[in-house]
Amino acid sequence: MNNKEKIKELYFKQKYKQKDIATLLNISNKYVSKVLINDYRYKEEKEQRKKLAKIKHRKDTINYIKNKRKSNRIDIEYENLKQLHMQASIELSDGRKSINNRAFRDWNKSAYKYDAKTKSYHLKKELIVGYDVPKKINWSNF
């Protein structure tokens, strides 16, 4: 099989690019192009590859837009979460006013476990907290 047949085989059947064929066969791009232009199937193959490239470009653009929107949504959600955190920090800080135990427990639901016998909430034992955090909150009075 000579170079011309190899070029045609690689381009039309195996769908290699002209540049890749030239590199593979160690010949110039210009020679590959010259051989392919003289083939009757070249124009049709070129048009088909253009259509496929156009379709691929559309899909890539749609994926890019989806990912960009998703990223923006995540950024907005993060900003909202940050804002809520700041608000909670202000409300819980000693700078403004102190809060009662019930309010503290409402802000930290996951830190407390309800005990039905004593009708109170107890701080989970595995948590390490400061002295000012209530260890037990009576709930029957509320």
Side-chain angles (χ1 to χ4, degrees), residues 41-87:
R41 302 171 285 182
Y42 179 70
K43 285 186 180 180
E44 186 180 324
E45 181 70 22
K46 189 173 180 180
E47 289 301 316
Q48 186 178 5
R49 287 185 184 202
K50 278 185 183 179
K51 287 178 185 175
L52 290 174
K54 202 174 196 179
I55 291 167
K56 184 183 179 301
H57 179 71
R58 281 187 191 142
K59 286 180 182 177
D60 291 346
T61 302
I62 289 168
N63 284 335
Y64 173 79
I65 291 169
K66 282 181 183 176
N67 290 336
K68 188 73 172 168
R69 287 179 181 165
K70 184 178 181 182
S71 173
N72 287 343
R73 252 186 276 127
I74 290 170
D75 291 344
I76 290 169
E77 288 172 2
Y78 176 72
E79 289 302 320
N80 289 341
L81 183 63
K82 246 172 58 174
Q83 188 176 5
L84 288 171
H85 178 71
M86 289 299 294
Q87 181 182 351

Side-chain angles (χ1 to χ4, degrees), residues 85-100 103-108:
H85 178 71
M86 289 299 294
Q87 181 182 351
S89 295
I90 290 169
E91 290 176 9
L92 289 172
S93 70
D94 286 333
R96 295 182 114 194
K97 60 181 179 180
S98 60
I99 62 172
N100 64 23
F104 185 82
R105 185 258 163 209
D106 287 343
W107 277 101
N108 298 287

Side-chain angles (χ1 to χ4, degrees), residues 18-32:
Q18 289 184 20
K19 184 179 179 181
D20 296 336
I21 295 170
T23 305
L24 186 66
L25 299 177
N26 201 20
I27 53 179
S28 69
N29 290 350
K30 197 172 184 179
Y31 179 71
V32 173

Side-chain angles (χ1 to χ4, degrees), residues 3-18 21 32-49 52:
N3 267 354
K4 288 183 182 182
E5 290 175 13
K6 285 181 187 175
I7 292 169
K8 290 176 185 178
E9 166 80 20
L10 291 170
Y11 187 78
F12 294 113
K13 291 186 180 173
Q14 296 184 18
K15 306 296 183 190
Y16 276 67
K17 295 178 183 176
Q18 289 184 20
I21 295 170
V32 173
S33 178
K34 184 178 177 182
V35 170
L36 292 174
I37 287 172
N38 291 332
D39 194 285
Y40 68 94
R41 302 171 285 182
Y42 179 70
K43 285 186 180 180
E44 186 180 324
E45 181 70 22
K46 189 173 180 180
E47 289 301 316
Q48 186 178 5
R49 287 185 184 202
L52 290 174

